[in-house]
Amino acid sequence: MSTDDPTRPGDPGVPGVPGDERTDPVPPAPVRERRWVARLLWSIVLAALLVALIVLAAATLPQWWAERITDRVNGSTSSGIAWGLFYGFGFTLVPLLAMLLVNRRWGRRAGAAMVVLALLVATPNWLTLAVVLGTNDSAVDGRALMEADAPGFRGATLAGALVAVALVLVAAALLGSARRRRRQVHELRDQIARRDAQAPPDGPRHTA
């Protein structure tokens, strides 16, 4: 007869009897190193692609944008002012309002996505800024085009953007004031509730 006890302590698989401790498998060091190296390589590749896109955009987009604007303005000062106010005001107001309304409860990823989206919406103004401040051939040619065939556009764009910034600052001040008032109301209600909870109960009333 066998002397092995199938229920001896330490035997895994027997209910109620502790067995060998099990831990989650941990990748060996070489595997972790390979993953880290792969992530680093992908980061370098993405950064290189981003730099290449920025260089390509800086070399081509300013002149392309100036050509699009001159096609719309067609040498008319009034048209240049109208289009400048439209782009400067609209594409500054919307992104700033979007970033102003970002809620902390959304989380970091949602907030970051909203900020990136707002920056993308402001692309027309970034392109105009690249034409005005750029020093490469594309920006210089774009500036010459706007000076000749889009009079008033750049100044009107700046004016529209400043008006939009002023309006957003006013909206931010009003929103902050409303939040402070709402917080004060909540604090006052909490104080009243605590005072009512600490107040002694009314004694029994005696009737004749």
Side-chain angles (χ1 to χ4, degrees), residues 119-194:
L119 293 176
L120 290 177
V121 171
T123 297
N125 289 336
W126 299 127
L127 293 174
T128 302
L129 189 65
V131 172
V132 174
L133 301 180
T135 57
N136 57 13
D137 293 339
S138 179
V140 172
D141 294 340
R143 252 190 327 270
L145 286 172
M146 285 189 175
E147 290 174 357
D149 297 327
F153 177 80
R154 292 177 295 173
T157 300
L158 177 60
L162 292 177
V163 172
V165 170
L167 289 178
V168 171
L169 290 177
V170 172
L174 294 176
L175 184 61
S177 178
R179 287 175 177 173
R180 284 193 297 272
R181 287 197 300 269
R182 190 161 53 245
R183 184 168 58 250
Q184 290 172 355
V185 170
H186 288 321
E187 291 175 354
L188 183 59
R189 288 177 178 174
D190 292 339
Q191 292 176 2
I192 294 174
R194 287 195 298 269

Side-chain angles (χ1 to χ4, degrees), residues 5 10 35 42 44 49 52 56 80 102 153-154 157 167-169 203-204 208:
D5 185 2
R35 291 178 179 176
W42 274 112
I44 294 174
L49 288 176
L56 180 62
V102 170
F153 177 80
R154 292 177 295 173
T157 300
L167 289 178
V168 171
L169 290 177

Side-chain angles (χ1 to χ4, degrees), residues 77-157:
T77 302
S78 59
S79 180
I81 293 174
W83 279 109
L85 291 174
F86 168 74
Y87 281 112
F89 181 79
F91 290 93
T92 301
L93 181 67
V94 173
L96 289 180
L97 285 178
M99 288 189 288
L100 178 64
L101 297 177
V102 170
N103 197 317
R104 293 180 180 178
R105 290 176 295 180
W106 291 4
R108 292 183 179 179
R109 292 184 179 180
M114 178 61 73
V115 172
V116 171
L117 181 61
L119 293 176
L120 290 177
V121 171
T123 297
N125 289 336
W126 299 127
L127 293 174
T128 302
L129 189 65
V131 172
V132 174
L133 301 180
T135 57
N136 57 13
D137 293 339
S138 179
V140 172
D141 294 340
R143 252 190 327 270
L145 286 172
M146 285 189 175
E147 290 174 357
D149 297 327
F153 177 80
R154 292 177 295 173
T157 300

Side-chain angles (χ1 to χ4, degrees), residues 29 62 67 70 124 129:
E67 291 173 351
T70 54
L129 189 65

